[in-house]
Amino acid sequence: MSRKRSRETISGVITSIPLPPVKRATIFQPAPFMYEEPAILERQRCDYSIKISAESARNGTALRPVRVYADGIYDLFHQGHARQLMQAKNVFPNVYLIVGVCSDEMTHTMKGRTVMNGEERYEAVRHCRYVDEVVSDAPWVLTEEFLENNKIDFVAHDDIPYASDNGDDVYSEIKAKGMFVATQRTEGVSTSDVVARIVRDYDMYVRRNLARGYTAKELNVSFINEKKFKFQNKMDELKGKGKLFVENIEGKRNEIIQKWEEKSREFIQNFLLLFGRDGRLSHIWQEGKGRIRQALSPNGSPPASPSSSRETSPIRDEMLSPPAKTKRREKFAASDIALAGAAALLAQGDGDREFSDDEEDQPQQETENLI
């Protein structure tokens, strides 16, 4: 029972203590314009007859929220603008921040052409978390009437003089009244710096927009430059794919090396089977070489059997064998003897008798017969 009562007591104590309100760090709705109902109601609640000095505003002893006004062009809204508005919001403990944005017509006349139009610049400012109210089509020079209509207590801006039409600082009267509070500029960040970056890297941004589907006409790019930029985009795309391929290869390097080793072993085995000493190509070469030799060289006579060689006749041997040199010599020697004998008979006949014509021809015929 005691445990149960203690739990009830603890729970009763917890539920009886009111929870403190949670302070939200963000706002879930954009800041209203000066002509919208939330801004009008806030302006009506403000008792502008109660003047707030700078000292009471800094000490936090003001009887109402301090209405601080900041103005500007706010083209290409960046962190430098946001930091300036943050300083204006925190210049005093309890600030209701009103931000004036100049129109396109006023800006183009007094400062130059903007990248964003007026509506875009209004929307950019009213979505900043430090802004409580937005004044569209804000004046370039703040008049007394404008300050009273919007119940402005102080004006926040950087301390750099801004020249007006007559050459004077547009905030000179505000400073003379003691209603000016200075904010600090963010070094290295401005709309001019952003535009300079875009101009410096013009080719890169044109190529990027062409790759995203913008036409050359929309980007005010000539036909030749369009083709050049598209070619550069293709080259960059190929470089990116090549880099990605190399990274994938490095990630799968071990796997690729292992597969390469397996394929190399298989390739070496196939090479040896084809080009090795006992490979298929060697057998094919030997067979082809034998066929070539057989086609080029004539077939030799079949070898004779031993029985046939022994049974050869003398007549066949004489016909097959060439004539011997000794027989030719014997034939020539017999003819020489016959000629010598005929010569001796003729010599003897001349000494014993005279021959008749018929007898003279007879030895010659005999000689011819012997020959």
Side-chain angles (χ1 to χ4, degrees), residues 312-326:
T312 55
S313 60
I315 298 172
R316 183 179 179 182
D317 293 340
E318 185 177 355
M319 293 174 64
L320 294 176
S321 60
K325 294 182 180 181
T326 56

Side-chain angles (χ1 to χ4, degrees), residues 8-300:
E8 291 176 353
T9 305
I10 293 172
S11 62
V13 172
I14 292 174
T15 54
S16 62
I17 298 176
L19 296 176
V22 179
K23 186 177 181 180
R24 299 291 182 181
T26 58
I27 300 174
F28 297 97
Q29 291 182 350
F33 287 103
M34 60 175 295
Y35 51 81
E36 292 181 343
E37 184 177 0
I40 295 173
L41 294 176
E42 181 66 27
R43 193 160 51 247
Q44 290 175 354
R45 285 195 295 266
C46 175
D47 187 2
Y48 196 58
S49 61
I50 302 174
K51 298 301 179 179
I52 300 176
S53 63
E55 185 179 357
S56 62
R58 291 191 185 93
N59 296 334
T61 58
L63 300 178
R64 59 176 176 82
V66 181
R67 294 172 67 88
V68 177
Y69 177 82
D71 60 352
I73 308 301
Y74 301 106
D75 189 21
L76 297 175
F77 192 86
H78 49 74
Q79 74 269 26
H81 296 142
R83 289 175 64 87
Q84 185 253 342
L85 296 178
M86 180 187 68
Q87 295 177 54
K89 179 69 174 179
N90 293 278
V91 69
F92 302 124
N94 187 14
V95 171
Y96 181 84
L97 181 60
I98 306 168
V99 180
V101 183
C102 298
S103 64
D104 287 340
E105 183 179 0
M106 178 68 69
T107 304
H108 296 169
T109 302
M110 302 301 296
K111 194 170 184 179
R113 187 174 181 82
T114 58
V115 178
M116 302 168 65
N117 59 40
E119 296 297 329
E120 293 170 342
R121 293 184 286 113
Y122 300 155
E123 290 296 322
V125 171
R126 71 191 296 244
H127 283 83
C128 178
R129 58 184 290 185
Y130 309 113
V131 179
D132 297 309
E133 182 181 329
V134 174
V135 176
S136 59
D137 195 8
W140 193 260
V141 179
L142 303 179
T143 62
E144 188 67 28
E145 181 182 3
F146 179 81
L147 296 175
E148 292 180 358
N149 290 338
N150 291 277
K151 298 182 178 181
I152 296 171
D153 297 315
F154 295 94
V155 176
H157 203 276
D158 60 79
D159 204 14
I160 299 175
Y162 276 75
S164 59
D165 294 337
N166 55 10
D168 297 333
D169 185 8
V170 296
Y171 300 106
S172 58
E173 295 183 3
I174 304 297
K175 294 177 180 178
K177 293 179 181 180
M179 298 174 61
F180 186 84
V181 289
T183 58
Q184 300 297 321
R185 295 175 62 90
T186 304
E187 294 297 332
V189 180
S190 66
T191 302
S192 299
D193 294 335
V194 175
V195 173
R197 295 178 196 176
I198 296 173
V199 173
R200 181 188 60 195
D201 300 327
Y202 167 79
D203 291 356
M204 182 183 68
Y205 292 117
V206 171
R207 288 166 52 191
R208 182 189 69 174
N209 286 356
L210 286 173
R212 293 181 177 180
Y214 286 85
T215 63
K217 185 177 180 181
E218 292 174 335
L219 299 174
N220 195 23
V221 176
S222 64
F223 177 80
I224 296 175
N225 286 335
E226 178 190 7
K227 299 304 178 184
K228 181 185 73 172
F229 292 143
K230 286 185 176 181
F231 176 76
Q232 292 174 348
N233 287 340
K234 289 294 182 183
M235 294 300 297
D236 291 344
E237 183 180 355
L238 291 175
K239 290 179 182 179
K241 289 182 179 180
K243 184 178 180 180
L244 182 61
F245 177 74
V246 172
E247 291 177 356
N248 292 336
I249 288 177
E250 291 180 355
K252 299 179 180 179
R253 181 171 55 187
N254 296 332
E255 182 179 355
I256 292 173
I257 292 174
Q258 184 177 1
K259 289 183 178 180
W260 171 254
E261 289 178 352
E262 294 176 357
K263 292 293 182 181
S264 61
R265 293 194 194 99
E266 182 179 354
F267 175 79
I268 293 171
Q269 292 176 0
N270 294 334
F271 182 85
L272 292 177
L273 289 175
L274 184 61
F275 297 99
R277 182 177 296 178
D278 298 330
R280 297 175 185 174
L281 192 62
S282 179
H283 288 296
I284 294 172
W285 170 251
Q286 294 297 334
E287 293 177 1
K289 187 166 65 174
R291 291 176 183 176
I292 293 171
R293 288 179 178 177
Q294 185 176 1
L296 295 177
S297 61
N299 294 329

